[in-house]
């Protein structure tokens, strides 16, 4: 991930990943194997390994402010326009027309 960002001349000490699942954040920070995570395959521990190395930081973001929802689920009109505004894809003055 760092290499791909450096190709675009973006240099970060750690890569922030926004997540609205507090359980996933807690599991990524705790290297102890929990009984609930035994079923997770080794290949899925990629993010946890990078969190422990300090390459990636998982940050909590409220579900209402999850911008990626525009790509993953149907949204109400208000939420859709709010996310478009956040992404800078539409000007606020365009909404009044």
């Amino acid at each position: 991930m760092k290499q791909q960002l450096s190709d675009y001349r973006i240099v970060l000490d750690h890569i922030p990943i926004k997540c609205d699942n507090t359980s996933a954040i807690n599991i990524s920070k705790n290297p102890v194997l929990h009984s609930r995570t035994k079923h997770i395959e080794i290949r899925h521990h990629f993010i946890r390994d990078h969190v422990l190395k300090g390459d990636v930081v998982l940050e909590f973001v409220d579900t209402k402010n999850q911008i990626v929802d525009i790509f993953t689920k149907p949204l109400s009109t208000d939420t859709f326009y709010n996310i478009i505004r956040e992404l800078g894809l539409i000007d606020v003055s365009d909404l009044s027309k």
Side-chain angles (χ1 to χ4, degrees), residues 10-47:
I10 300 172
V11 179
L12 298 172
D13 293 331
H14 59 275
I15 299 168
I17 297 178
K18 309 288 185 181
C19 182
D20 63 353
N21 186 331
T22 54
S23 295
I25 294 171
N26 291 335
I27 289 172
S28 73
K29 292 179 180 178
N30 190 353
V32 176
L33 184 65
H34 295 281
S35 61
R36 293 185 178 192
T37 62
K38 287 183 180 178
H39 69 281
I40 299 174
E41 295 179 26
I42 299 295
R43 62 190 171 106
H44 297 294
H45 292 286
F46 175 80
I47 296 293

Side-chain angles (χ1 to χ4, degrees), residues 43-96:
R43 62 190 171 106
H44 297 294
H45 292 286
F46 175 80
I47 296 293
R48 187 179 74 180
D49 292 341
H50 281 284
V51 167
L52 294 175
K53 288 181 194 175
D55 296 336
V56 172
V57 174
L58 293 178
E59 299 174 354
F60 179 76
V61 63
D62 188 30
T63 304
K64 296 176 186 175
N65 299 324
Q66 189 67 276
I67 294 177
V68 75
D69 283 351
I70 195 170
F71 302 112
T72 61
K73 59 178 87 169
L75 301 170
S76 68
T77 305
D78 292 337
T79 306
F80 179 76
Y81 283 128
N82 287 337
I83 291 175
I84 287 178
R85 240 188 333 269
E86 286 285 325
L87 291 172
L89 298 175
I90 193 168
D91 189 9
V92 179
S93 62
D94 293 340
L95 295 177
S96 61

Side-chain angles (χ1 to χ4, degrees), residues 1-12 15:
M1 290 183 275
K2 280 187 175 183
Q3 179 61 45
Q4 189 169 14
L5 288 172
S6 67
D7 291 343
Y8 295 106
R9 296 189 179 113
I10 300 172
V11 179
L12 298 172
I15 299 168

